[in-house]
Amino acid sequence: MSSRFDVAVIGAGAAGMMAAAVAGQRGLRVVLVDHAARLAEKIRISGGGRCNFTNIGATPANFLSQNPHFCRSALAAYTPRDFIDLVEKHGIRWHEKHRGQLFCDESSESIIAMLKRECDEGGVAWRMPCSVHEIARDGDAFLLRTSQGNISARQLVMASGGMAIPQLGATDFALGIARQFGLKVVEPRPALVPLTFDAQAWQPFAALSGVALEVIVKNDAGSAAPAGAAATAAAAGAGSGKRRNPRAGAGRQQAEFLEDLLFTHRGLSGPAILQISSFWDPGEAIHVDLAPHQDLERDLLAAKSGSRQQLGTVLAGLWPKRLADRWLANIDGMGEDAGALRLADVPDKALRRLAGQIHCWTLLPDGTAGYKKAEVMRGGVDTRGLNQKTMEAATVPGLYFVGEAVDVTGWLGGYNFQWAWASGVACGRAL
Ligand code: FDA
């Protein structure tokens, strides 16, 4: 005996609850299945407990995918304004924090409670905690063998997310189901994740752990970058205060971001590094401008004439002192006492070299901090096998994929939730 439903949704996270609520409110009999004991853990911990639930500036340019146009239709059909209307309907107060990022005034729990209420309004049935052992075709329907018995459903929505934070129950279940039904998967990788460096090479910087500063960071998509991309980025000039849009290359993308960087014991983190990590491929260098609002060569040479200032004091005016000291001792090769040199005594050539190195610090990461520290998974179910208006698999009628499981990855700043809501709604309306 199996329980029969019109729709089974696997994964009661952001996208799954949204799809289930919309479908249920359209009169469909929907069951939501999740193996976790607690509902929507990722929403709970998101945005430092306040859930950065959308970004008012979200456009398709804020997402990475092998198929960049795929997300357009769903994002246009369900906008940040639509989600704000829902939030306000439920009396949740919110504020804009930084560059269009919207957060709850109180707690991310209010977003979870809102989605739960929307599901209840649609009469959604729950199986939780419930493990799905197997999914098979049963005529036109899908048969789910679960720890709470068999479920039969005409339509199946895979909303089980990506692999980031496995300690909270994240799995690659959706990717396995995609492969089982003959769909392609774009290689998954950790994204929005700290970058790590060879332990020995990083040793001089490990002591800087905790130092943060605003930088421009770029990846080095190398020869795969389209002609003119690097030149365009450089010509845009430092210090405009804006992030430049990534440009699609032949499978690789070049991007640059003006954000804060954070030194850690093992490498680099902070919003700038999380952003660029989504574009970074193993073996690729990154370039960091550590003085994005200045023309340092011009300023150092101008300050030189008649100056009694020491080099260390000048750099400490630009950066935290710890960084200035380390930089002069370790990076420029000027020796431990470089900070004590009087600016007037440093040759122009050495100042030019110093400015060049500060504006373009080139580093070769040896990896990322992995899924345990990543905010999202990049890659996922190949969108070339999905319908962009409905999220349905082209070759398997009745099978849908939504949210992070799909090869659509947002920048840091509320974009990933906007994709979860928009893809969930697109699917919920089409079921
Ligand atoms: P989501 O991960 O939300 O839900 C998947 C559900 O499927 C989970 O409930 C899980 O238990 C379940 N599941 C998994 N495997 C299963 C299986 N085998 N069987 C049954 N159930 C299974 N984004 C953003 O826009 N703003 C933000 O502030 C943040 N902050 C943030 C902080 C941290 C620490 C992380 C890790 C992530 C973020 N994100 C974010 C990213 C955001 O949380 C993420 O993109 C969305 O939650 C994705 O929504 P989904 O519904 O696709 O997956």
Side-chain angles (χ1 to χ4, degrees), residues 11 13-15 34-35 46-47 52 159-161 165 171 173 375 403-404 414 416-417:
D34 200 298
H35 67 172
S46 67
N52 175 197
S160 53
I165 319 282
T171 68
F173 192 56
E375 273 201 17
E404 199 181 311
N416 283 296
F417 277 135

Side-chain angles (χ1 to χ4, degrees), residues 48-72:
R50 295 232 165 124
C51 188
N52 175 197
F53 56 77
T54 192
N55 190 301
I56 45 175
T59 73
N62 303 115
F63 295 84
L64 290 90
S65 173
Q66 295 274 308
N67 183 13
H69 297 300
F70 177 82
C71 61
R72 276 179 189 282

